[in-house]
Amino acid sequence: VSGITTPLRLGFDIGGTKIGIALGDGQGRLCATQRIATPRGPDWQSDLVEIAAAARALLEAQGLDPAAVEAIGIAAPGPLDPERGCLRKPPNLPHWDQVPLRAWFEDAFGVPVQVENDANAAALAEWRYGAGRGVRDLVYLTLSTGLGAGVIANGALVRGAHGAAGELGHLALDPDGELCACGMRGCYEVALGGAAWARRLAHTAPGSSLALALAGSRERLAATHLIEAARRGDAFALAELARWNQALAQLLIVVCYALDPARIVLGTIATAAGEDLCLKPLRSAVAARLWPQMRAVEIVAAALGDELPARAGLAVAFATD
Ligand SMILES: [Zn+2]
């Protein structure tokens, strides 16, 4: 295939239902992608054999030699040990217990392999390919079912001494609040994550709320319905979003004083809510609590959307330099 310059890099995005495989060239350009269903073999070893075979097939389909691959990046669900590149039984991959991803892929391809958790990988992807381009100090928040975060400081991903740097979703908003999946109480993830929000909304949404009508039932009510209802002027939805913005602003103020980023990139829920319902009120609430010299911080929506799984692993592969 013309235009693809070697050496190549391979990225894998490991998910509970889908695996994204991406091929990048020497300039970091995305050359080819593939998605396969997450294998459900008898054990993780057979699953990894299947994933590696799909990657080799992708290379061959482009007329490329697997020997031209010089590095591999893997985005994987947490919790994981980034030092050893080892998965620790992610909830959506229960039969992948203590999977040594880095060692296995290094053996299979004979190249260096870097493994990062989803949120760090997404931060790297937005930084290299998306809304984070051009800055050296960036904080990215996933804001989907949970609240993952990744921190880029001085032009490099911050991992911390124990691989837990940037776990901003587990700062406490209310130390006596609702129990979080992490075992602590009242984490920001409980206040801002879509899963916990939906759980609360199922109880608190008034029968007259448009959000409930859009969802069809309390069980199905989610942030997307709330955003649509707010857009159409529903009072309950607007009040809920205002409360959500306020909690998020409080977290971003902590982020600004801790890291003083040039840009903060916000994922799914904030992106869906957009300028009027989220970003504009957020910017003014945050700026009101910052020193004047910090107010230039840009608060923007994530840009990659559905392209994220194709970019996340590849961005990790380029972060090994
Ligand atoms: Zn927590």
Side-chain angles (χ1 to χ4, degrees):
V1 173
S2 62
I4 300 181
T5 58
T6 54
L8 307 168
R9 298 198 181 199
L10 261 181
F12 294 90
D13 184 78
I14 310 279
T17 56
K18 294 259 190 285
I19 309 277
I21 305 172
L23 182 63
D25 72 4
Q27 271 68 52
R29 283 183 301 238
L30 181 67
C31 303
T33 60
Q34 198 192 349
R35 278 184 124 186
I36 61 168
T38 303
R40 297 281 172 197
D43 49 39
W44 60 261
Q45 287 90 342
S46 61
D47 290 351
L48 295 191
V49 166
E50 202 173 310
I51 294 167
R56 290 201 181 88
L58 179 65
L59 284 156
E60 278 156 23
Q62 305 290 318
L64 296 162
D65 183 353
V69 173
E70 64 165 356
I72 290 174
I74 303 177
L80 58 84
D81 173 350
E83 210 59 51
R84 291 169 52 230
C86 188
L87 282 195
R88 293 182 185 134
K89 201 170 188 168
N92 54 1
L93 291 164
H95 66 303
W96 285 30
D97 191 4
Q98 304 298 326
V99 176
L101 279 178
R102 173 191 282 166
W104 194 94
F105 276 91
E106 281 183 349
D107 277 356
F109 286 88
V111 298
V113 175
Q114 180 70 37
V115 182
E116 296 291 350
N117 72 47
D118 289 334
N120 281 352
L124 288 169
E126 285 289 343
W127 185 43
R128 176 170 281 269
Y129 299 110
R133 275 179 295 180
V135 299
R136 288 175 57 78
D137 295 277
L138 172 85
V139 174
Y140 167 81
L141 301 183
T142 59
L143 295 169
S144 53
T145 53
L147 202 182
V151 174
I152 313 279
N154 290 327
L157 180 71
V158 179
R159 297 190 179 88
H162 316 97
E167 289 288 353
L168 302 164
H170 303 283
L171 284 163
L173 173 65
D174 170 12
D176 301 317
E178 193 183 327
L179 193 62
C180 177
C182 78
M184 301 286 181
R185 285 195 172 275
C187 299
Y188 275 94
E189 173 158 296
V190 169
L192 299 171
W197 199 5
R199 239 181 0 252
R200 272 194 309 279
L201 287 171
H203 298 290
T204 57
S208 59
S209 169
L210 178 59
L212 199 53
L214 291 168
S217 75
R218 291 191 174 271
E219 292 67 40
R220 294 185 50 202
L221 184 54
T224 47
H225 306 119
L226 203 74
I227 290 165
E228 183 53 33
R231 202 159 276 146
R232 299 197 209 168
D234 179 71
F236 170 75
L238 285 165
E240 269 292 313
L241 265 177
R243 185 204 56 79
W244 191 86
N245 284 337
Q246 196 184 1
L248 180 54
Q250 214 167 309
L251 177 60
L252 296 191
I253 291 158
V254 174
V255 165
C256 286
Y257 282 103
L259 298 158
D260 188 19
R263 196 174 300 157
I264 297 173
V265 177
L266 302 175
T268 315
I269 297 176
T271 304
E275 285 291 323
D276 290 339
L277 289 176
C278 176
L279 295 166
K280 280 180 190 164
L282 204 53
R283 286 182 197 120
S284 45
V286 171
R289 281 291 315 176
L290 295 183
W291 291 338
Q293 67 267 37
M294 297 162 74
R295 288 178 200 154
V297 60
E298 300 168 66
I299 300 175
V300 301
L304 292 179
D306 294 342
E307 285 178 50
L308 183 59
R311 309 276 182 169
L314 202 56
V316 174
F318 280 98
T320 56
D321 298 341

